Amino acid sequence: MPFDGIVTKCAVEELSSKLTNGRIEKIFQPENDEIYVSIRANGENLRLVLSSSANYPRIHLTDTLKENPSNPPLFCMILRKHLSGGRIISFNFNDYERIVQIKIESTSELGDSSIKTLIIEIMGRHSNIILVNSDYKIIDSIKHVDNDISRVREIMPAREYSPPPSQDKLSVDFIDTKALIEKASDVDNISIEKYILNNIKGFSPLICKQICMDCDIEPNSIPSDLKTALLYKLIPILDSYIKDIRESNFKPCILYKDPNMQDPLDFYCLPVSRLGYIKYFDSINFVINEFYFSKDLFERQKQKKSDIVKVLNNSLDRCNKKLGIQQEKLRDVSDRENLRLFGELITANIHSIPKKSKEALVNNYYISESEFIKIPLDENLSPQANAQRYFKKYTKAKRAFLYTNKQIKITLSELNYLESVQQMLENSNTIDEINEIRDELIEQGYINSRKKNTGKKKNVPSKPLHFRSSGGFDIYVGKNNHQNDTLTLKSASANDLWLHTRNIPGSHVIIKKLQANIPESTILEAAVLAAYHSKAANSSNVPVDYTIVKNVKKPSGAKPGMVIYNSFRTIIVTPDKNTVSKLSVD
């Protein structure tokens, strides 16, 4: 967990400078394990988050606000009773433990002044938020821990508060790094990373791994296996980090998996550049808020997408199975013309075919007079009845062929539509965009509609992506199928240029025509955008069709985003992310 004792020190120092002497104005509890405190300090309205979440326990300032429940939980009401209007005296932090104590001076209803302490323990699934009085008797906590849960330490109202047992580790403020590393040479049962972690208070696996990599030591190496010279390289590096921690020379940063810095991996208050791509910030509170907000947003997007992906995959599987059955039916009637031929040849030779015959050898005059063909017969039927039987089979097979062909076109159209939605979903980057795709699938009957509050205000539809070509022409790219329809059939003018990848699911792209003709360079750039925002984004030599908008039509009853077009030309391009970034306007 990145929120270790070092980050706690950094966060507490910053919170102390910003919030000391601040007044508590409002207290909310939007989640079972989360408290929001509105504070007026230094002429600013600030919002403090305290979370005892098992996955993401933390304390930091935030600019976001979750929806407040109509009925506040009991713990929230107790905090309001004891802390509303109170003045923050101090933020206390001790010996690199992940425990923050906020001392608050408040006045009771009778006008008596008293000191209360709000304690947040950041300890994974054992995290808690506890309110105690001046004698450190527990008033209440967000999580109750009775004797059945823990015999070591109860967290219940009226009990005396005792901090968690101290870790048997060396304090950063008093550590002798040389002695610590010298002892490591005899350790042969754990890795060097784990050895540092187990011996220095406040350290997390993240910083231990960074220190090892700074010394060009594999973090999983066994200390006793390392050469003395290599092991001793740890001493100055470790001393350097400890000096920065003691002197609070912090550099808050977020660690990303890739250079695009989209998916945050971790955060820290010291440089951890060996572990990924990092971006530095001035405030640890901003870093923590940004990390957890991005993490929460990313996970919510992932969850929302996964629900829709499941629906799309099920629908695609169903369509593919249906297509397989339909194609099998076509194969079953592939000999339908032979049935008609058999009927005609039997009719032509009806007088020469004896009754009760099991087969007839007749001249196939369609080919030549010397070509004979053997036709199976039902001996219980007359030659005339056998001919009629073949004609009926032919008629049935022909009808099945025409119907199945029509159904295959419908199925292929549905597959094309579902693949286009799938591609749009992959490119969606916000919750609103994902919700729009979900709404589209509800409209099309792929997802069951949930009852909605009729009084709820509808979300404003998102806008298409906007780009500007090197020649100064505006280019718009649809982000979902409804947007594609609006962009092409309503927003665009008849002489604007329309582009789309040929036979590949993707976005509609519109070049707005000005007075001048659209140059080839602009068409090329728009084609790159069309290819990039399609299923062929990672391919090369992608064919992109283009034509004027008046040549694009939507067939009656067609699904969103599905159009037909004529009088088009084709250009071959390779998607290029740099071109997309360069042309982007918003």
Side-chain angles (χ1 to χ4, degrees):
M1 184 176 68
F3 213 118
D4 61 11
I6 313 304
V7 171
T8 306
K9 178 186 180 184
C10 181
V12 165
E13 289 179 356
E14 192 173 303
L15 289 171
S16 183
S17 67
K18 287 179 176 289
L19 298 180
T20 300
N21 293 319
R23 289 280 176 185
I24 294 175
E25 296 188 335
K26 294 179 182 178
I27 301 173
F28 303 105
Q29 188 176 343
E31 307 284 354
N32 291 333
D33 52 12
E34 201 166 87
I35 299 294
Y36 277 57
V37 184
S38 294
I39 301 167
R40 180 70 179 176
N42 299 317
E44 292 183 277
N45 292 319
L46 302 171
R47 192 175 296 122
L48 181 67
V49 178
L50 297 92
S51 175
S52 60
S53 160
N55 293 324
Y56 302 129
R58 63 198 188 275
I59 177 173
H60 63 93
L61 294 172
T62 183
D63 54 3
T64 61
L65 181 61
K66 294 183 178 180
E67 186 176 350
N68 193 38
S70 55
N71 297 316
L74 177 61
F75 185 63
C76 179
M77 293 170 65
I78 290 173
L79 290 181
R80 288 176 180 177
K81 175 185 176 182
H82 289 278
L83 303 182
S84 290
R87 181 177 67 89
I88 295 176
I89 299 174
S90 65
F91 281 82
N92 297 325
F93 160 79
N94 182 53
D95 201 22
Y96 300 94
E97 297 286 355
R98 290 172 292 166
I99 301 171
V100 180
Q101 297 191 12
I102 310 172
K103 290 201 172 293
I104 302 162
E105 182 183 36
S106 59
T107 305
S108 69
E109 295 173 352
L110 299 175
D112 298 327
S113 179
S114 62
I115 303 294
K116 307 287 193 311
T117 304
L118 190 60
I119 304 169
I120 175 167
E121 299 177 345
I122 304 169
M123 302 185 301
R125 62 190 180 91
H126 301 295
S127 299
N128 212 336
I129 302 170
I130 306 162
L131 180 66
V132 301
N133 62 19
S134 56
D135 296 327
Y136 273 74
K137 286 283 181 68
I138 297 172
I139 299 171
D140 205 354
S141 61
I142 203 166
K143 297 177 185 176
H144 287 175
V145 181
D146 59 20
N147 192 51
D148 292 336
I149 299 173
S150 173
R151 296 182 181 180
V152 177
R153 184 169 172 262
E154 283 188 288
I155 305 294
M156 296 290 291
R159 305 288 198 279
E160 186 172 343
Y161 172 80
S162 60
S166 180
Q167 295 176 308
D168 186 20
K169 297 182 180 181
L170 300 171
S171 171
V172 170
D173 292 334
F174 308 105
I175 190 171
D176 182 345
T177 55
K178 184 178 179 183
L180 177 68
I181 298 305
E182 284 176 346
K183 288 181 182 179
S185 59
D186 297 327
V187 175
D188 58 4
N189 58 345
I190 57 173
S191 67
I192 184 64
E193 174 193 351
K194 199 73 176 286
Y195 176 76
I196 297 172
L197 180 67
N198 291 348
N199 281 278
I200 305 180
K201 191 175 290 187
F203 273 35
S204 64
L206 190 75
I207 189 63
C208 294
K209 187 174 290 185
Q210 171 71 25
I211 289 169
C212 291
M213 295 178 75
D214 277 348
C215 300
D216 298 320
I217 295 174
E218 174 58 44
N220 292 325
S221 302
I222 301 300
S224 60
D225 293 341
L226 296 172
K227 293 181 179 179
T228 304
L230 187 59
L231 199 59
Y232 270 57
K233 284 179 68 176
L234 283 165
I235 297 173
I237 297 294
L238 198 51
D239 281 338
S240 174
Y241 278 99
I242 287 172
K243 183 174 183 291
D244 285 338
I245 294 166
R246 287 174 180 170
E247 297 177 359
S248 299
N249 292 328
F250 297 119
K251 293 182 179 179
C253 59
I254 297 179
L255 181 68
Y256 297 91
K257 291 180 181 177
D258 57 77
N260 297 324
M261 298 189 179
Q262 296 293 324
D263 183 14
L265 182 64
D266 254 324
F267 70 88
Y268 209 62
C269 56
L270 294 170
V272 285
S273 55
R274 295 267 187 166
L275 306 178
Y277 300 89
I278 61 172
K279 186 175 181 181
Y280 292 103
F281 298 88
D282 294 330
S283 164
I284 187 63
N285 278 278
F286 180 86
V287 163
I288 299 171
N289 181 62
E290 185 72 12
F291 174 80
Y292 285 112
F293 178 79
S294 300
K295 203 73 176 172
D296 179 60
L297 181 63
F298 181 79
E299 289 187 358
R300 283 194 295 134
Q301 286 180 355
K302 186 178 178 180
Q303 180 60 45
K304 277 186 170 289
K305 280 188 178 183
S306 67
D307 293 341
I308 300 174
V309 165
K310 191 180 295 183
V311 171
L312 289 173
N313 286 340
N314 289 339
S315 299
L316 284 165
D317 287 344
R318 177 180 52 78
C319 279
N320 283 315
K321 287 178 182 177
K322 188 197 299 183
L323 183 63
I325 292 169
Q326 290 165 347
Q327 289 172 336
E328 184 63 32
K329 284 183 179 179
L330 279 188
R331 285 191 287 271
D332 290 342
V333 297
S334 60
D335 63 343
R336 63 193 176 281
E337 291 301 324
N338 283 338
L339 298 173
R340 180 183 60 80
L341 176 64
F342 288 173
E344 289 179 354
L345 292 178
I346 292 172
T347 302
N349 295 277
I350 198 164
H351 298 295
S352 62
I353 301 174
K355 291 181 180 181
K356 303 291 184 179
S357 298
K358 292 184 179 180
E359 60 181 30
L361 186 64
V362 298
N363 174 237
N364 186 359
Y365 52 82
Y366 284 103
I367 297 178
S368 72
E369 293 183 1
S370 60
E371 185 73 25
F372 285 84
I373 187 170
K374 191 180 289 185
I375 303 174
L377 300 176
D378 185 340
E379 60 182 321
N380 296 318
L381 298 176
S382 66
Q384 181 66 34
N386 269 294
Q388 289 302 316
R389 184 168 68 96
Y390 276 116
F391 283 132
K392 284 180 181 179
K393 283 185 176 182
Y394 166 71
T395 302
K396 184 179 179 180
K398 182 181 178 182
R399 192 161 49 239
F401 172 77
L402 293 174
Y403 176 78
T404 305
N405 247 343
K406 184 178 179 181
Q407 291 304 114
I408 284 177
K409 287 182 180 178
I410 294 171
T411 303
L412 288 173
S413 176
E414 185 177 7
L415 276 170
N416 188 36
Y417 168 72
L418 290 169
E419 287 176 352
S420 74
V421 175
Q422 194 177 50
Q423 183 270 324
M424 299 292 178
L425 183 64
E426 288 175 4
N427 289 345
S428 58
N429 294 316
T430 67
I431 295 294
D432 287 341
E433 290 172 10
I434 297 170
N435 285 337
E436 285 180 2
I437 292 173
R438 182 183 179 85
D439 290 342
E440 179 185 330
L441 291 173
I442 289 173
E443 288 176 13
Q444 297 303 312
Y446 291 99
I447 297 177
N448 291 330
S449 177
R450 296 174 182 171
K451 291 183 179 179
K452 294 183 179 179
N453 183 2
T454 53
K456 189 177 179 180
K457 188 177 179 181
K458 290 186 177 180
N459 291 329
V460 178
S462 63
K463 295 180 181 180
L465 297 171
H466 183 200
F467 300 87
R468 185 163 289 118
S469 74
S470 56
F473 288 80
D474 288 316
I475 304 172
Y476 295 92
V477 179
K479 290 189 287 189
N480 56 57
N481 282 312
H482 275 312
Q483 222 171 75
N484 284 340
D485 279 350
T486 302
L487 187 60
T488 300
L489 306 173
K490 295 181 180 179
S491 303
S493 301
N495 290 320
D496 290 342
L497 206 61
W498 179 90
L499 301 92
H500 194 280
T501 46
R502 174 181 283 190
N503 299 326
I504 300 171
S507 298
H508 292 201
V509 176
I510 295 292
I511 305 175
K512 299 297 290 183
K513 186 177 181 183
L514 306 175
Q515 296 298 324
N517 290 327
I518 299 173
E520 289 293 328
S521 59
T522 294
I523 296 173
L524 178 63
E525 289 168 343
V528 170
L529 292 174
Y532 184 80
H533 293 93
S534 77
K535 198 172 181 179
N538 297 318
S539 304
S540 58
N541 299 323
V542 180
V544 178
D545 295 338
Y546 64 95
T547 184
I548 55 176
V549 168
K550 68 180 180 182
N551 292 332
V552 182
K553 309 295 180 187
K554 189 173 186 67
S556 177
K559 290 186 180 293
M562 302 295 104
V563 295
I564 56 175
Y565 53 95
N566 54 43
S567 303
F568 60 89
R569 299 178 67 183
T570 304
I571 185 171
I572 306 297
V573 297
T574 296
D576 178 26
K577 188 173 183 178
N578 292 330
T579 300
V580 175
S581 301
K582 184 175 65 176
L583 301 177
S584 180
V585 172
D586 49 24

